[in-house]
Amino acid sequence: MSTLVEMGYGLSSRIRSSKGTTRVPATVVSQHGDEQPNEGSFSDDPDELLQNGTDAVRAAKDAQQRGAFDDAIDQLERAIAQCERVQDRSSSAELTRRAAELGTAAKTDLQAVRSSSPARAELTETLSVAESLLQTAIAAHVRGKGTVARTRYRQAMSNYDAALELLDDGEISLLEGDIKAAIDPGDVPPRDDLSTTLGLDAETAEALSAAEIATRTDSNVVDNVEKIIQEYDVDSETASKLTALAWLDPEHVRTFSDRTDIEKRYTQAEIGCEAAT
């Protein structure tokens, strides 16, 4: 559940209305710095209660989009409570109807978010495993360990495929809010001289040097692999290793924003599996 910032939220913030109803602020500041409906608000005004419920639903949507599923659940529970109080207190049939509709929608959303939160955690774990396997495959690939590389590439493909199935099975989008998959660095190819990393012959090493490529993290490698291969007559085996090196994430974190991000990584693993010797 969200952590509320209570600074300045003391007895002095409570006021006495002209009708004798004790009130507290309708909003508080969340851990993300934005205002959200306060679950402690106990206004008896049906219009205000319905507005609080509407605000809570909006806050839940915002929380879901940034991947804060616990916050989304918290806000939807507040919205439902506010709507129920409107129905208990309002003498207006129209206001009661609107509150009932909002409350029903919030309950549906709550069920979906509750079911998606574990699924999102499963998706994050599946992608983290896939990324770690891909990195291990690349490390084996560039060192010429073809059997290990192909095995790990296939395992990575299997996990990316499982991640895509999770997306298809979800009642709501599990990628509302980026997923950051942590990668086990494992046996990462060194950042130093590519001639050593790839076991290049003198001629190929000279060609890469002419292309101003010194290490695996040089932007010339990451951004211009195909051009390098074509212009500097790099043999197919070295070309496949350079391509694989360009797929590594130096920060050991991979961000997935949509389905195509996962599909792209699956394709890279597939290409690597076919190329590893």
Side-chain angles (χ1 to χ4, degrees):
M1 298 298 177
S2 59
T3 302
L4 305 180
V5 179
E6 296 180 346
M7 184 178 297
Y9 180 69
L11 291 174
S12 60
S13 67
R14 294 186 174 87
I15 59 174
R16 181 74 61 177
S17 74
S18 59
K19 295 181 180 180
T21 301
T22 302
R23 301 176 184 270
V24 295
T27 60
V28 293
V29 180
S30 78
Q31 60 182 324
H32 302 283
D34 53 346
E35 287 192 346
Q36 300 185 10
N38 177 21
E39 65 182 341
S41 177
F42 46 88
S43 168
D44 285 328
D45 180 11
D47 287 302
E48 185 175 341
L49 289 169
L50 183 59
Q51 184 60 55
N52 288 346
T54 302
D55 291 344
V57 169
R58 187 180 299 114
K61 180 66 175 177
D62 291 342
Q64 185 181 339
Q65 288 178 339
R66 63 173 182 268
F69 282 75
D70 284 347
D71 283 353
I73 290 171
D74 192 27
Q75 295 298 341
L76 288 169
E77 288 175 342
R78 294 177 184 180
I80 293 167
Q82 296 292 301
C83 290
E84 289 175 348
R85 293 177 66 195
V86 172
Q87 295 175 77
D88 289 342
R89 290 164 173 75
S90 177
S91 58
S92 166
E94 173 62 17
L95 203 61
T96 300
R97 181 190 63 79
R98 288 165 54 196
E101 289 180 353
L102 182 63
T104 298
K107 288 176 182 177
T108 300
D109 290 345
L110 179 60
Q111 182 177 4
V113 173
R114 279 176 170 162
S115 65
S116 69
S117 185
R120 184 176 167 90
E122 183 179 359
L123 177 61
T124 301
E125 175 63 19
T126 300
L127 289 172
S128 293
V129 171
E131 286 295 309
S132 298
L133 286 166
L134 181 61
Q135 182 150 292
T136 302
I138 292 170
H141 185 171
V142 301
R143 292 186 171 93
K145 300 178 180 179
T147 301
V148 175
R150 289 191 297 272
T151 299
R152 297 296 178 262
Y153 277 131
R154 291 191 191 101
Q155 290 173 335
M157 290 165 60
S158 178
N159 277 272
Y160 289 126
D161 193 47
L164 291 171
E165 288 183 3
L166 285 171
L167 288 184
D168 293 339
D169 292 342
E171 293 183 8
I172 63 174
S173 174
L174 298 179
L175 284 173
E176 286 199 16
D178 294 345
I179 283 183
K180 295 187 180 295
I183 306 169
D184 182 353
D187 187 20
V188 182
R191 295 170 181 257
D192 56 10
D193 187 0
L194 280 178
S195 297
T196 302
T197 304
L198 301 179
L200 303 179
D201 58 41
E203 184 179 354
T204 304
E206 184 178 348
L208 293 180
S209 177
E212 298 182 350
I213 297 170
T215 73
R216 71 172 176 84
T217 55
D218 283 351
S219 61
N220 285 354
V221 175
V222 176
D223 299 331
N224 300 295
V225 170
E226 291 185 8
K227 181 179 178 181
I228 291 166
I229 292 169
Q230 293 172 359
E231 291 190 4
Y232 295 95
D233 194 27
V234 176
D235 64 84
S236 60
E237 182 179 350
T238 303
S240 73
K241 294 177 180 179
L242 281 171
T243 301
L245 285 171
W247 297 336
L248 289 173
D249 289 284
E251 302 303 321
H252 308 311
V253 174
R254 186 77 177 184
T255 300
F256 294 89
S257 301
D258 54 38
R259 183 188 184 88
T260 58
D261 289 340
I262 303 175
E263 292 173 340
K264 179 180 178 180
R265 294 301 263 179
Y266 179 96
T267 300
Q268 289 172 344
E270 187 175 35
I271 292 171
C273 185
E274 293 175 355
T277 58

